[in-house]
Amino acid sequence: MTVLILGGTGEARALAAALDETGVPILSSLAGRVQRPRLPVGPTRIGGFGGPDGLAAFLSEQAIHAVVDATHPFAKRISASAAQACGAAGVPLLRLERPGWAAGEGDRWTWVDDLPGAARAVAASGAQRVFLTSGRQGLAAFAGLASPWFLIRCVDPPDVPLPAHHELLLDRGPYTEPDEGKILDRQRIDLLVTKDSGGPLTAAKLAAARDRGIPVVVVRRPSRPDVATVATVAESVSWLRGQDDPIDAGRS
Ligand code: NAP
């Protein structure tokens, strides 16, 4: 009667905490991408399952009652794997996904489909000093750009080719608007690049860019499998209550 939480996000940790409090047996799963992951409360396993077949086998071996895919909006492969594995194993699956960001008044955003598209938008912009906050994975898309200087922020050092002119800033959110503003000012940033990660933890850079009239290249979220989806931890708990009631089972 265990709920498997596919994690790596703040929402996944919040859900683990909420379910743990009710006494529901949970197991959180992390990919193992960062050197020092923020761990959720409760039991955690780390590492891939070996694709959809491996995950389906894991679900039956561990008697998983329901799965909540609370992975990052850009973690496309694990979500596809979860949809396929849960379908094959007959295990209910919920997607917990924070809403994306929306441009407000004063924002100068250019939407692109992927990181190569972001690299093309950077080249076309004529920007000189780019703040690249799209994460460690996919940085190779910018490696061929010779002319702008990049401030590249990520959690762990990248292990892919990087653009010729860059400085690395190893850091992890949450970030505040005054601090983000200081980076933009001190580094004389004239273009910001971000994925549409959504959520409040990394949104301060957008407000700081808006205040300064700095344009932003925003990478659209990838397409997702068609599964039941909610935006909040509370909705996830409600959904789980309706699934043959693992929450009451946890209480008894
Ligand atoms: P991905 O491309 O969708 O996944 C690649 C492979 O990593 C999956 O096929 C799976 O391996 C394994 N995997 C991913 N998430 C897992 C999880 N929670 N538990 C166990 N295995 C997992 O994912 P990604 O973009 O590399 O992201 C990896 C993790 O970092 C995700 O869990 C995500 O929540 C977190 N994260 C990602 C981003 C981002 O921008 N992509 C940002 C912040 C946090 P198998 O096929 O072997 O099962």
Side-chain angles (χ1 to χ4, degrees):
M1 297 297 276
T2 301
V3 176
L4 176 67
I5 302 172
L6 300 172
T9 59
E11 290 79 11
R13 289 189 294 276
L15 178 62
L19 293 178
D20 188 65
E21 212 163 88
T22 66
V24 180
I26 53 169
L27 175 60
S28 292
S29 176
L30 303 177
R33 286 280 186 283
V34 294
Q35 286 166 9
R36 285 171 290 109
R38 289 190 177 121
L39 294 175
V41 296
T44 302
R45 64 163 300 285
I46 297 184
F49 297 97
D53 292 346
L55 179 52
F58 182 89
L59 296 178
S60 77
E61 279 158 26
Q62 302 290 321
I64 299 297
H65 179 89
V67 176
V68 180
D69 171 13
T71 57
H72 190 271
F74 281 81
K76 186 176 174 171
R77 276 200 290 156
I78 186 67
S79 291
S81 192
Q84 202 177 320
C86 287
V91 174
L93 168 66
L94 179 72
R95 170 72 182 155
L96 166 56
E97 182 170 306
R98 64 181 91 133
W101 290 318
E105 210 179 317
D107 280 322
R108 300 170 59 201
W109 291 10
T110 300
W111 288 89
V112 295
D113 285 338
D114 49 24
L115 289 168
R120 288 192 293 276
V122 168
S125 73
Q128 298 297 306
R129 298 179 68 83
V130 179
F131 190 17
L132 190 46
T133 65
S134 53
R136 189 168 56 123
Q137 297 180 61
L139 283 174
F142 300 88
L145 296 184
S147 64
W149 172 88
F150 289 89
L151 177 63
I152 300 174
R153 182 166 69 191
C154 43
V155 176
D156 289 322
D159 52 6
V160 296
L162 297 176
H165 306 290
H166 72 266
E167 184 179 320
L168 273 182
L169 175 58
L170 300 183
D171 201 358
R172 166 147 67 182
Y175 304 106
T176 66
E177 195 179 329
D179 285 347
E180 297 290 61
K182 276 181 207 156
I183 292 174
L184 297 180
D185 293 341
R186 194 172 53 236
Q187 300 289 5
R188 293 175 284 116
I189 298 298
D190 57 1
L191 182 68
L192 170 67
V193 178
T194 181
K195 296 197 269 197
D196 178 19
S197 296
L201 300 186
T202 57
K205 61 192 172 189
L206 299 169
R210 180 186 312 126
D211 281 354
R212 290 157 178 79
I214 295 173
V216 184
V217 173
V218 187
V219 182
R220 272 190 200 92
R221 293 179 174 191
S223 59
R224 299 216 138 259
D226 186 15
V227 300
T229 301
V230 297
T232 65
V233 167
E235 289 170 294
S236 306
V237 173
S238 299
W239 181 87
L240 284 163
R241 279 187 202 284
Q243 298 303 313
D244 211 6
D245 222 339
I247 287 190
D248 279 355
R251 282 204 185 110
S252 63

